[in-house]
Amino acid sequence: MSIRADVAEPRIAAPVRTVDCRIEDCGKPRAHHSTVCQTHRQRIRKWGDPHFTQWGTADMQDVELIVRERRSSPGLTRLERVLVARGLAERKVPAHEVARIVGVNQRTVERWRARDWQLAAR
């Protein structure tokens, strides 16, 4: 069998090597040019802490103050938004007013209330 110079032999691709994120207990792969995965990179960039999650942090004093004074407050975490919405719902505040205070859409507040009612009915 003769080999022609203009026809190259097909190459076998090297196996793709994935390296995990350097953050402890994270098994997600990282990009080849980075030391951490995308999730941790976003948390570091936005919050300065790779372990920060918006669902695990709530300042109950801020939540109670916002519920009592019914004033909007930017920069609330997700958990704080939900807790403020629940507190205002207990005080019979309309959904559109809760949405303005919390900084979300009225439909979101209605969805949160429906979920809470479903959980209470169980």
Side-chain angles (χ1 to χ4, degrees):
M1 188 176 224
S2 66
I3 299 178
R4 294 184 358 202
D6 61 339
V7 178
E9 291 277 329
R11 292 186 179 187
I12 299 174
V16 177
R17 189 173 141 234
T18 60
V19 181
D20 289 341
C21 177
R22 71 172 171 85
I23 302 296
E24 189 175 321
D25 297 331
C26 180
K28 294 181 182 178
R30 64 175 175 83
H32 71 284
H33 62 280
S34 180
T35 58
V36 295
C37 65
Q38 181 67 25
T39 301
H40 287 113
R41 187 172 351 152
Q42 287 177 345
R43 288 178 182 170
I44 291 168
R45 187 180 307 130
K46 189 169 185 179
W47 304 105
D49 180 10
H51 302 291
F52 182 84
T53 62
Q54 290 195 9
W55 286 108
T57 307
D59 185 355
M60 292 309 293
Q61 291 176 343
D62 284 346
V63 169
E64 291 170 7
L65 182 68
I66 294 168
V67 169
R68 190 171 48 248
E69 294 182 0
R70 294 186 185 184
R71 61 175 175 83
S72 62
S73 178
L76 294 175
T77 64
R78 291 179 181 180
L79 181 59
E80 288 171 336
R81 288 180 187 155
V82 172
L83 293 175
V84 168
R86 285 180 183 164
L88 292 171
E90 290 173 0
R91 295 176 181 233
K92 308 292 187 218
V93 177
H96 64 86
E97 183 68 13
V98 173
R100 184 193 61 79
I101 294 169
V102 177
V104 296
N105 194 318
Q106 179 179 345
R107 178 66 183 119
T108 303
V109 174
E110 292 168 356
R111 197 179 68 237
W112 288 344
R113 287 181 176 181
R115 184 187 65 208
D116 289 344
W117 289 332
Q118 286 175 349
L119 293 175
R122 288 183 183 181

